[in-house]
Amino acid sequence: MMHEPIRRDSLLERAARTYDFGAQLRARAPQHAPVPDVADVADVPEARPVIAPVVPIAAAPPVDTPDAPEMDATFFAIPPELRAPVGHELPDSFYDTPELTDIAGIDRGMLAEAGMIVPGAPVGPLAEEFRLIKRQLLITRERVAQAANGSGQADKARTALVCSARPGDGKTFCAVNLALSMAAERDTEVLLVDADFAKPDVLAQLGMAEQPGLLDALADSRIDVESLVIRTDVGGLSILPAGTKTATDTELLASARTRTVLARLLEANPRRIVIFDSPPALAASPAAVLAMLVGQVILVVRADRTPETELREAVQRLDGCDEIALVLNAVSFVPGGHRYGTYYGQETGK
């Protein structure tokens, strides 16, 4: 007697099942798509993003794909993503040892309009989601540091890369919010580096003007990269812009100069954690180069659009880093549902 072949759930479907998104959301998801049964947040009134518990991918059943490679990554999750040109001539001051006295203001109104964390605002579901992601990043940092003890690579634990498989998956949204959340820590400071050289967007998201940055320091050994770091009015948060565009950005990153620059950034502040917002792994080559330099990679996966085949290919391209975690982006929950219920400002009674 013939039996129907057994369909194995995809990787993202298994991740989405770690908690209940509500029948309303499941009913809206296409049955044929190789992504979790979740709806686009934009289609759900008053929806908020959520984060799934940490689930080791290796423990999940294999997907129904011939010879599919196992992905050495961890799965946790989060929400939906909602220049003035840099001149080639740099002032002489950029060749001097820095005196960081200027403080740049971050536009809180722009953050609120973009649905991001607003420093100083009451803690809500979004801020709580990034608190959970931040805790996992800090735990991984300690594990990487312990593994590197005595090897001279301990500082590598203080670096992380936020990436995605392709454009539009929400990596910059996650990188900025993660940096804002990390800045609230009492014992650490965070430097957010815009390493998406083709399409830098970090400063624009924060309401700040572009200026020289990482690429300028890589191209000219006379520049002290610390002089390009922008201190902000958010305590504990600094920004390093992408810098002047060049056709040799990947080659600059692959040079010995990059390790010198990164060492300088870490040495300048022992409390500092460096977070890179990189280009999409499948769209630009710098992501793979950066992955070899950092202690961990946070790969943003768009729940309603990232195919599993692209996810696997992205993980393979980033395998220069041993620690890879997957952030499930654009996951929604209905206010009053199982995830947060009425905990954050949704109370209808006393």
Side-chain angles (χ1 to χ4, degrees):
M1 183 173 64
M2 299 293 294
H3 295 279
E4 290 292 328
I6 298 176
R7 177 186 178 277
R8 297 173 186 259
D9 291 338
S10 74
L11 175 66
L12 297 182
E13 288 174 322
R14 295 197 299 271
R17 263 203 325 275
T18 58
Y19 53 94
D20 185 8
F21 295 107
Q24 174 185 355
L25 299 182
R26 288 195 295 273
R28 302 170 71 94
Q31 298 302 312
H32 62 279
V35 294
D37 299 335
V38 296
D40 193 321
V41 168
D43 298 330
V44 183
E46 299 182 11
R48 294 292 188 274
V50 292
I51 178 171
V54 177
V55 181
I57 287 182
V63 296
D64 192 16
T65 304
D67 302 322
E70 288 296 325
M71 290 193 294
D72 185 14
T74 303
F75 220 131
F76 57 96
I78 189 138
E81 178 174 65
L82 276 126
R83 121 179 163 139
V86 177
H88 291 276
E89 295 297 328
L90 297 177
D92 293 338
S93 60
F94 284 117
Y95 297 96
D96 299 330
T97 301
E99 293 291 341
L100 297 180
T101 56
D102 295 335
I103 303 295
I106 288 179
D107 192 326
R108 270 76 168 172
M110 288 188 64
L111 291 176
E113 290 176 5
M116 293 188 176
I117 294 173
V118 178
V123 175
L126 177 65
E128 193 60 48
E129 297 301 336
F130 278 101
R131 278 178 166 179
L132 296 174
I133 293 180
K134 173 179 62 176
R135 294 265 73 79
Q136 293 301 323
L137 185 150
L138 293 172
I139 290 171
T140 302
R141 179 193 65 171
E142 294 301 321
R143 183 170 66 248
V144 173
Q146 291 176 5
N149 188 27
S151 67
Q153 298 291 318
D155 278 347
K156 192 174 184 179
R158 296 196 282 135
T159 59
L161 178 69
V162 179
C163 189
S164 63
R166 60 180 181 177
D169 287 347
K171 64 173 184 60
T172 301
F173 176 88
C174 290
V176 172
N177 280 296
L178 180 60
L180 289 168
S181 182
M182 187 70 71
E185 289 292 303
R186 305 296 290 271
D187 301 322
T188 64
E189 296 182 21
V190 61
L191 173 64
L192 178 58
V193 181
D194 193 342
D196 191 347
F197 305 123
K199 295 184 177 180
D201 195 39
V202 168
L203 293 185
Q205 295 281 353
L206 300 174
M208 302 164 65
E210 285 288 350
Q211 55 185 280
L214 178 59
L215 285 176
D216 301 290
L218 295 180
D220 192 337
S221 61
R222 296 173 298 171
I223 299 176
D224 182 356
V225 67
E226 192 67 18
S227 69
L228 307 179
V229 171
I230 304 171
R231 295 174 62 190
T232 75
D233 60 353
V234 175
L237 175 64
S238 298
I239 309 294
L240 179 60
T244 306
K245 289 185 179 181
T246 173
T248 59
D249 49 15
T250 300
E251 289 74 18
L252 286 173
L253 280 176
S255 68
R257 169 69 176 163
T258 301
R259 295 185 183 277
T260 301
V261 166
L262 183 54
R264 167 65 173 135
L265 292 173
L266 293 171
E267 177 189 18
N269 187 344
R271 293 159 47 93
R272 176 181 283 170
I273 292 178
V274 180
I275 298 177
F276 292 91
D277 176 30
S278 90
L282 303 185
S285 53
V289 178
L290 283 166
M292 295 187 293
L293 302 173
V294 299
Q296 56 184 303
V297 170
I298 299 170
L299 183 59
V300 178
V301 181
R302 176 88 183 194
D304 57 352
R305 62 181 285 179
T306 306
E308 186 170 345
T309 55
E310 292 189 0
L311 173 58
R312 289 184 175 276
E313 184 179 354
V315 169
Q316 289 179 333
R317 292 197 183 186
L318 299 170
D319 65 0
C321 180
D322 294 331
E323 297 285 345
I324 300 178
L326 307 182
V327 174
L328 188 60
N329 188 29
V331 179
S332 307
F333 78 94
V334 177
H338 295 297
R339 178 64 174 173
Y340 287 110
T342 60
Y343 194 72
Y344 286 107
Q346 302 292 339
E347 291 86 348
T348 56
K350 60 180 181 179

